[in-house]
Amino acid sequence: MKTNNQKTYRAIILYSLFSLILIGAIYLLSPLNRIASIHVSGHHYAQEETIIEQSTLNIGDELWNNLLKKDTIANRIVNGSPEIKSADISLRYPNHVEVAIEEYEIVANLKTAGEDQYIAALSNGELFHSEKAPYADKPVLVNFDTDKVLAQLIAELADVDAEVLQLMSDIELLHSERNSQLISISMNDGNQVLASISSVSERINLYPSLVAEVDGQTGVFDLEAGAYFIPGATIESLNYEQERSVDESLEVGEEQDASEIPAESNDPENVTES
């Protein structure tokens, strides 16, 4: 009796294994093991067609043969597009492939020497030619012909608040003899900002609160070594090769004694507290 039971168990096991192998073989040969669609998500700058092309995935390819190589496919996508930070390949039941993309943030448009040619600047410091550039919500970088200075600025812009970055129209390197990192920032509201690259992210993030203090006036915010507002002025009218003297200007963004605030002047070279 015991021997018969053992034979029965062995037969059941063998039959089950054979059935699983048969089902597996049928599945691998069936349309369910063929990629029915490829869906790309999470991309804003990279083109979907480009991502799929770089993945080398095609409709009708063997599904599991590619899923077992998903890390290789993901690396192929990342290496092929500098704006892509990471890619993840997954299965959507029953035979649809999902490609989830994470991109680096684009922080600026770099204007090149060519006519109306722009290169996108990424938050990781990389530059790439984008079919969509220039991006209207990103500032345009002008006169940046030094790679080291450009890399420093891009690193700073990566730390600027998104809402503040959208307020910037263009950023120009002034090639100052006094300060090689001196830049001029034109804002969309008509103001201009004078700043140093090494501290621009920390200071420019205060811009919305500084603007709130000037009651609709336009002028220059000198943020190079503090925070000063010069109503009615333009950077072109200022002598930025000289540091602003203490008796010439008062800081904005800090409480001042009313008796210390001079009367407003129409002369743009006279700096008044907002």
Side-chain angles (χ1 to χ4, degrees):
M1 187 70 180
K2 184 176 181 180
T3 302
N4 289 335
N5 287 337
Q6 289 177 339
K7 290 181 178 180
T8 301
Y9 292 147
R10 281 197 293 267
I12 292 173
I13 292 173
L14 291 173
Y15 178 79
S16 299
L17 288 174
F18 176 78
S19 298
L20 289 174
I21 293 172
L22 181 61
I23 292 172
I26 293 173
Y27 170 76
L28 292 176
L29 295 173
S30 74
L32 289 177
N33 189 38
R34 298 290 174 178
I35 298 176
S37 68
I38 304 168
H39 181 258
V40 181
S41 63
H43 62 296
H44 303 285
Y45 310 125
Q47 299 289 326
E48 180 174 347
E49 296 80 5
T50 302
I51 294 171
I52 294 176
E53 181 180 348
Q54 290 166 346
S55 73
T56 68
L57 294 172
N58 294 287
I59 304 299
D61 286 352
E62 289 187 15
L63 178 64
W64 283 101
N65 183 45
N66 283 287
L67 288 178
L68 291 174
K69 300 185 296 184
K70 64 179 184 177
D71 290 341
T72 300
I73 295 172
N75 289 334
R76 193 179 296 138
I77 294 172
V78 171
N79 293 333
S81 298
E83 68 271 35
I84 296 179
K85 185 176 183 179
S86 65
D88 181 67
I89 315 298
S90 60
L91 171 66
R92 289 200 307 173
Y93 182 82
N95 57 344
H96 303 276
V97 174
E98 174 82 22
V99 181
I101 298 296
E102 182 183 2
E103 295 175 319
Y104 291 104
E105 182 65 27
I106 289 179
V107 296
N109 305 288
L110 175 64
K111 194 174 190 312
T112 64
E115 182 179 353
D116 294 328
Q117 294 184 7
Y118 296 87
I119 298 175
L122 299 170
S123 58
N124 65 339
E126 293 287 335
L127 302 173
F128 80 105
H129 290 273
S130 170
E131 297 178 3
K132 296 182 180 180
Y135 294 90
D137 60 340
K138 310 298 180 185
V140 175
L141 308 184
V142 182
N143 289 338
F144 284 86
D145 51 11
T146 305
D147 292 341
K148 182 178 180 181
V149 173
L150 176 60
Q152 289 176 322
L153 176 61
I154 293 174
E156 285 289 316
L157 291 179
D159 292 329
V160 173
D161 296 338
E163 59 271 19
V164 176
L165 197 65
Q166 292 179 356
L167 299 176
M168 302 180 189
S169 173
D170 57 70
I171 304 174
E172 181 178 0
L173 183 64
L174 295 176
H175 296 287
S176 167
E177 294 181 2
R178 177 180 58 82
N179 179 359
S180 62
Q181 293 195 340
L182 196 63
I183 55 175
S184 163
I185 307 174
S186 296
M187 309 301 288
N188 291 322
D189 58 8
N191 288 313
Q192 290 180 295
V193 175
L194 193 66
S196 187
I197 291 175
S198 60
S199 59
V200 66
S201 63
E202 177 185 359
R203 296 181 186 275
I204 200 67
N205 281 333
L206 300 174
Y207 183 76
S209 62
L210 298 179
V211 170
E213 296 184 29
V214 303
D215 298 325
Q217 297 181 87
T218 58
V220 174
F221 286 90
D222 185 345
L223 307 184
E224 180 186 3
Y228 309 99
F229 179 64
I230 312 167
T234 64
I235 288 180
E236 292 75 18
S237 70
L238 300 177
N239 184 3
Y240 53 76
E241 291 295 354
Q242 296 180 357
E243 294 185 6
R244 210 153 302 288
S245 61
V246 175
D247 57 354
E248 184 188 11
S249 58
L250 292 172
E251 289 187 277
V252 292
E254 294 186 1
E255 294 183 2
Q256 301 287 340
D257 189 318
S259 63
E260 296 179 358
I261 302 176
E264 278 194 19
S265 169
N266 292 324
D267 184 354
E269 289 297 327
N270 291 327
V271 181
T272 60
E273 181 190 19
S274 57

